Amino acid sequence: MTDEQQLAINRHVIEQFRAGGPVDGMHRDRLVLLTTRGRRSGEPRTTPMLVVDDEPTGLRFVVASGAGSPRVPGWFRNLVDEPVVHVEVDGDEYDAVARVAAGRERAELWERLVAAYPFFTDHEAQAGRELPLVVLDRR
């Protein structure tokens, strides 16, 4: 899939999500619109993705998988430069500070993530890199 095709799909998903109805091929309750600030342009960049609400810890996080791409997603590079992000989930919208889970926290979150979504194991193997788990701490 080309970058242009992916951007068109993302725009469609964002429109559907913000309109409040069903989102083609996705579950609204597992979807987040994450808005980062472009590291070069300074412009807001919104990306739809799977969000995980981790029951044991109460943390909300996303995975920088890029669908198994060896390249780290642009949204991840953006939030490394500017960790203040905007989060839109079904029925809620807020600003958050994004941080990359590390060490024991990452290991525990990863274990629960792949138990619920085993395809992330394949994404990580395909990517050839450890997939960052990004915790979204509400401000």
Side-chain angles (χ1 to χ4, degrees):
M1 178 178 310
T2 67
D3 288 344
E4 292 79 26
Q5 290 170 319
Q6 187 62 56
L7 288 172
I9 290 169
N10 286 355
R11 280 192 294 272
H12 184 67
V13 168
I14 291 165
E15 282 177 17
Q16 288 183 318
F17 184 85
R18 288 181 174 159
V23 179
D24 294 341
M26 299 184 184
H27 299 274
R28 288 186 67 81
D29 62 337
R30 295 184 213 153
L31 185 63
V32 64
L33 300 185
L34 183 68
T35 302
T36 60
R37 181 88 33 214
R39 64 193 183 289
R40 291 185 301 241
S41 70
E43 296 295 317
R45 303 285 185 225
T46 301
T47 306
M49 66 189 79
L50 174 77
V51 66
V52 179
D53 288 319
D54 187 55
E55 294 294 327
T57 62
L59 297 176
R60 174 171 280 161
F61 69 95
V62 294
V63 184
S65 73
S69 171
R71 273 188 342 183
V72 177
W75 63 264
F76 179 77
R77 292 189 308 268
N78 289 343
L79 68 77
V80 167
D81 282 2
E82 174 52 61
V84 176
V85 298
H86 189 73
V87 174
E88 297 172 65
V89 292
D90 198 19
D92 198 12
E93 192 172 331
Y94 59 91
D95 289 331
V97 176
R99 63 180 176 79
V100 179
R104 183 177 180 162
E105 179 184 50
R106 191 221 180 259
E108 291 172 0
L109 291 175
W110 178 257
E111 184 177 307
R112 288 192 293 278
L113 173 71
V114 297
Y117 303 102
F119 63 85
F120 279 114
T121 302
D122 295 335
H123 282 200
E124 189 169 72
Q126 180 180 334
R129 60 183 173 85
E130 183 176 272
L131 300 181
L133 306 183
V134 180
V135 177
L136 305 170
D137 291 325
R138 187 186 285 259
R139 287 180 78 181

